[in-house]
Amino acid sequence: MPHSACDHVSTTICSENIETLRETGRLESARWCPSPNYGPRPEGTTISLLVVHNISLPPGEFGGAYIEDFFTNCLDPDLHPYFATIAGMRVSAHALIRRDGSLVQFVSLLERAWHAGRSCFEGVEECNDFSIGIELEGADDIPYTAEQYRALAEISVVIGSAWPDITNNRITGHSDIAPGRKTDPGPAFDWQHFQASLQAVQTGQKQC
Protein backbone atom coordinates (compact mmCIF):
# COMPACT_ATOMS: atom_id res chain seq x y z
CA MET A 1 0.00 0.00 0.00
CA PRO A 2 1.37 3.47 -0.85
CA HIS A 3 2.55 5.34 2.20
CA SER A 4 3.46 8.87 3.11
CA ALA A 5 6.70 10.09 4.63
CA CYS A 6 5.21 10.68 8.07
CA ASP A 7 1.57 9.77 8.38
CA HIS A 8 1.66 10.81 12.03
CA VAL A 9 2.41 14.45 11.16
CA SER A 10 -0.66 16.29 9.87
CA THR A 11 0.96 18.66 7.38
CA THR A 12 0.52 19.07 3.65
CA ILE A 13 4.15 18.39 2.90
CA CYS A 14 4.21 15.20 4.94
CA SER A 15 1.29 13.80 2.96
CA GLU A 16 3.68 13.16 0.06
CA ASN A 17 3.51 9.69 -1.45
CA ILE A 18 7.08 8.44 -1.27
CA GLU A 19 6.74 5.84 -4.02
CA THR A 20 5.40 8.47 -6.39
CA LEU A 21 8.14 10.90 -5.39
CA ARG A 22 10.83 8.32 -6.13
CA GLU A 23 9.30 7.61 -9.52
CA THR A 24 8.61 11.16 -10.67
CA GLY A 25 10.78 13.43 -8.55
CA ARG A 26 7.75 15.70 -8.19
CA LEU A 27 6.56 17.04 -4.84
CA GLU A 28 2.78 16.94 -4.84
CA SER A 29 2.64 19.72 -2.24
CA ALA A 30 4.63 22.12 -4.44
CA ARG A 31 3.40 24.36 -7.20
CA TRP A 32 5.14 23.27 -10.39
CA CYS A 33 7.04 26.00 -12.27
CA PRO A 34 9.36 24.13 -14.66
CA SER A 35 12.82 25.48 -15.33
CA PRO A 36 14.79 24.60 -18.47
CA ASN A 37 18.01 24.80 -16.48
CA TYR A 38 18.77 21.20 -15.61
CA GLY A 39 20.29 18.04 -17.01
CA PRO A 40 20.61 14.33 -16.29
CA ARG A 41 22.54 13.11 -13.31
CA PRO A 42 25.59 10.99 -14.17
CA GLU A 43 24.69 7.34 -14.64
CA GLY A 44 24.76 5.39 -11.40
CA THR A 45 24.64 8.48 -9.19
CA THR A 46 23.11 8.10 -5.74
CA ILE A 47 21.21 11.14 -4.49
CA SER A 48 22.86 11.68 -1.14
CA LEU A 49 23.02 15.38 -0.19
CA LEU A 50 20.61 18.24 0.46
CA VAL A 51 21.96 21.77 0.03
CA VAL A 52 20.26 24.80 1.61
CA HIS A 53 20.51 28.13 -0.25
CA ASN A 54 18.90 31.54 -0.05
CA ILE A 55 17.73 33.95 -2.72
CA SER A 56 15.83 37.24 -2.86
CA LEU A 57 15.14 39.42 -5.88
CA PRO A 58 15.87 42.26 -5.73
CA PRO A 59 18.37 41.48 -2.97
CA GLY A 60 16.78 41.83 0.45
CA GLU A 61 13.25 42.19 -0.94
CA PHE A 62 10.61 39.48 -0.78
CA GLY A 63 7.49 38.58 -2.71
CA GLY A 64 6.60 38.78 -6.37
CA ALA A 65 7.53 36.52 -9.26
CA TYR A 66 11.12 37.60 -9.84
CA ILE A 67 12.71 34.43 -8.45
CA GLU A 68 10.49 32.28 -10.64
CA ASP A 69 11.28 34.50 -13.62
CA PHE A 70 15.00 34.13 -12.91
CA PHE A 71 14.93 30.34 -12.70
CA THR A 72 12.85 30.11 -15.89
CA ASN A 73 15.04 32.54 -17.88
CA CYS A 74 12.28 35.14 -18.07
CA LEU A 75 13.69 37.87 -15.83
CA ASP A 76 13.36 41.31 -17.41
CA PRO A 77 16.73 43.07 -16.99
CA ASP A 78 15.07 46.47 -17.32
CA LEU A 79 12.94 46.13 -14.19
CA HIS A 80 15.78 46.67 -11.70
CA PRO A 81 19.48 47.58 -12.03
CA TYR A 82 20.52 44.37 -10.28
CA PHE A 83 18.55 42.24 -12.72
CA ALA A 84 20.79 43.39 -15.57
CA THR A 85 23.76 41.79 -13.81
CA ILE A 86 22.16 38.34 -13.58
CA ALA A 87 19.68 38.16 -16.46
CA GLY A 88 22.05 36.12 -18.61
CA MET A 89 22.72 33.50 -15.96
CA ARG A 90 21.24 30.04 -16.38
CA VAL A 91 20.66 28.56 -12.95
CA SER A 92 17.96 26.75 -11.02
CA ALA A 93 17.15 24.95 -7.80
CA HIS A 94 14.96 21.97 -7.28
CA ALA A 95 12.55 23.92 -5.07
CA LEU A 96 11.95 27.23 -3.35
CA ILE A 97 10.44 27.78 0.10
CA ARG A 98 8.67 31.14 0.24
CA ARG A 99 8.48 33.30 3.37
CA ASP A 100 5.05 31.84 4.18
CA GLY A 101 6.37 28.28 3.91
CA SER A 102 4.76 27.53 0.54
CA LEU A 103 6.70 25.46 -1.98
CA VAL A 104 7.51 26.06 -5.63
CA GLN A 105 9.30 23.31 -7.56
CA PHE A 106 11.40 24.01 -10.65
CA VAL A 107 13.22 20.75 -11.41
CA SER A 108 12.39 17.10 -10.78
CA LEU A 109 14.40 15.78 -7.86
CA LEU A 110 15.56 13.00 -10.16
CA GLU A 111 17.34 15.51 -12.41
CA ARG A 112 20.50 17.56 -11.93
CA ALA A 113 19.52 21.15 -11.12
CA TRP A 114 22.10 23.90 -11.57
CA HIS A 115 22.29 25.22 -8.02
CA ALA A 116 25.66 24.43 -6.44
CA GLY A 117 28.26 25.36 -9.06
CA ARG A 118 31.85 24.45 -8.28
CA SER A 119 31.54 22.64 -4.98
CA CYS A 120 32.84 19.85 -2.79
CA PHE A 121 31.36 17.81 0.05
CA GLU A 122 33.52 15.41 2.07
CA GLY A 123 36.08 15.28 -0.70
CA VAL A 124 33.58 14.65 -3.52
CA GLU A 125 33.37 17.45 -6.06
CA GLU A 126 30.54 18.65 -8.32
CA CYS A 127 27.75 18.46 -5.76
CA ASN A 128 25.10 19.14 -8.39
CA ASP A 129 25.60 15.56 -9.53
CA PHE A 130 24.37 13.97 -6.30
CA SER A 131 22.51 16.69 -4.41
CA ILE A 132 19.10 18.30 -4.13
CA GLY A 133 19.08 22.10 -3.86
CA ILE A 134 16.46 23.90 -1.79
CA GLU A 135 16.26 27.70 -1.87
CA LEU A 136 14.85 29.73 0.99
CA GLU A 137 13.42 33.10 0.07
CA GLY A 138 15.70 35.18 2.22
CA ALA A 139 19.05 36.87 2.72
CA ASP A 140 22.16 36.11 4.73
CA ASP A 141 21.43 38.72 7.40
CA ILE A 142 17.63 38.66 7.61
CA PRO A 143 15.98 36.15 9.97
CA TYR A 144 14.07 33.34 8.31
CA THR A 145 10.45 32.70 9.26
CA ALA A 146 9.06 29.97 11.48
CA GLU A 147 7.07 28.76 8.48
CA GLN A 148 10.26 28.33 6.47
CA TYR A 149 12.02 26.32 9.18
CA ARG A 150 8.94 24.13 9.49
CA ALA A 151 8.64 23.61 5.75
CA LEU A 152 12.35 22.91 5.34
CA ALA A 153 12.27 20.36 8.16
CA GLU A 154 9.22 18.67 6.67
CA ILE A 155 10.56 18.56 3.14
CA SER A 156 13.89 17.26 4.44
CA VAL A 157 12.08 14.37 6.12
CA VAL A 158 10.17 13.65 2.94
CA ILE A 159 13.31 13.72 0.79
CA GLY A 160 15.21 11.60 3.30
CA SER A 161 12.39 9.04 3.23
CA ALA A 162 12.66 8.83 -0.57
CA TRP A 163 16.47 8.86 -0.66
CA PRO A 164 17.74 7.46 2.66
CA ASP A 165 21.36 8.34 1.88
CA ILE A 166 20.38 11.92 2.74
CA THR A 167 20.83 11.59 6.48
CA ASN A 168 20.64 14.51 8.91
CA ASN A 169 24.39 15.05 8.71
CA ARG A 170 24.17 15.28 4.93
CA ILE A 171 22.05 18.44 4.98
CA THR A 172 24.41 21.36 4.47
CA GLY A 173 24.62 24.98 3.40
CA HIS A 174 25.82 26.34 0.08
CA SER A 175 28.60 28.14 1.94
CA ASP A 176 29.84 24.82 3.32
CA ILE A 177 30.31 23.23 -0.09
CA ALA A 178 31.62 26.38 -1.81
CA PRO A 179 33.51 28.23 0.97
CA GLY A 180 34.90 31.60 0.01
CA ARG A 181 32.66 31.70 -3.06
CA LYS A 182 29.21 31.49 -1.49
CA THR A 183 27.84 32.71 1.84
CA ASP A 184 24.26 31.42 1.89
CA PRO A 185 22.16 30.58 3.79
CA GLY A 186 24.19 32.98 5.92
CA PRO A 187 24.54 33.76 9.62
CA ALA A 188 20.81 34.48 9.87
CA PHE A 189 20.08 30.79 9.33
CA ASP A 190 19.80 29.11 12.73
CA TRP A 191 21.13 25.59 12.20
CA GLN A 192 20.38 24.62 15.79
CA HIS A 193 16.75 25.65 15.40
CA PHE A 194 16.54 23.80 12.09
CA GLN A 195 17.97 20.61 13.58
CA ALA A 196 15.48 20.82 16.44
CA SER A 197 12.64 21.28 13.94
CA LEU A 198 13.95 18.37 11.90
CA GLN A 199 14.08 16.07 14.91
CA ALA A 200 10.60 17.17 15.96
CA VAL A 201 9.15 16.27 12.57
CA GLN A 202 11.02 12.96 12.59
CA THR A 203 9.50 12.07 15.93
CA GLY A 204 6.04 13.32 14.97
CA GLN A 205 5.94 16.23 17.39
CA LYS A 206 3.83 19.29 16.68
CA GLN A 207 5.86 22.19 15.30
CA CYS A 208 5.71 25.57 17.07
Side-chain angles (χ1 to χ4, degrees), residues 1-32 95 101-105 109 151 153-163:
M1 177 181 295
H3 66 278
S4 66
C6 38
D7 294 328
H8 53 288
V9 180
S10 58
T11 63
T12 302
I13 293 172
C14 283
S15 68
E16 296 284 346
N17 183 295
I18 298 305
E19 284 82 1
T20 300
L21 180 60
R22 287 196 191 104
E23 292 172 1
T24 67
R26 292 274 296 272
L27 294 157
E28 295 177 349
S29 54
R31 179 167 57 84
W32 181 242
S102 60
L103 282 172
V104 184
Q105 186 171 0
L109 304 187
E154 291 168 352
I155 196 174
S156 296
V157 169
V158 167
I159 289 171
S161 297
W163 292 281

Side-chain angles (χ1 to χ4, degrees), residues 106-119:
F106 300 95
V107 175
S108 164
L109 304 187
L110 299 175
E111 302 289 352
R112 182 183 186 274
W114 301 346
H115 63 96
R118 294 296 177 190
S119 51

Side-chain angles (χ1 to χ4, degrees), residues 37-42 94 107-108 110-114 126 128-129:
N37 303 329
Y38 71 93
R41 297 185 188 273
H94 287 95
V107 175
S108 164
L110 299 175
E111 302 289 352
R112 182 183 186 274
W114 301 346
E126 303 301 328
N128 280 340
D129 291 347

Side-chain angles (χ1 to χ4, degrees), residues 124-139:
V124 182
E125 297 185 347
E126 303 301 328
C127 294
N128 280 340
D129 291 347
F130 56 92
S131 69
I132 291 171
I134 304 297
E135 295 274 3
L136 300 175
E137 185 179 20

Side-chain angles (χ1 to χ4, degrees), residues 39-116:
R41 297 185 188 273
E43 186 174 354
T45 296
T46 298
I47 300 173
S48 60
L49 184 68
L50 192 151
V51 180
V52 181
H53 304 255
N54 74 34
I55 187 171
S56 56
L57 292 176
E61 298 183 21
F62 307 133
Y66 296 137
I67 297 172
E68 294 175 28
D69 290 345
F70 180 46
F71 286 156
T72 56
N73 304 339
C74 297
L75 187 64
D76 186 343
D78 296 326
L79 292 179
H80 189 278
Y82 180 75
F83 295 171
T85 70
I86 63 171
M89 297 176 65
R90 296 293 179 260
V91 295
S92 63
H94 287 95
L96 166 71
I97 300 177
R98 291 284 194 177
R99 301 294 288 182
D100 63 359
S102 60
L103 282 172
V104 184
Q105 186 171 0
F106 300 95
V107 175
S108 164
L109 304 187
L110 299 175
E111 302 289 352
R112 182 183 186 274
W114 301 346
H115 63 96

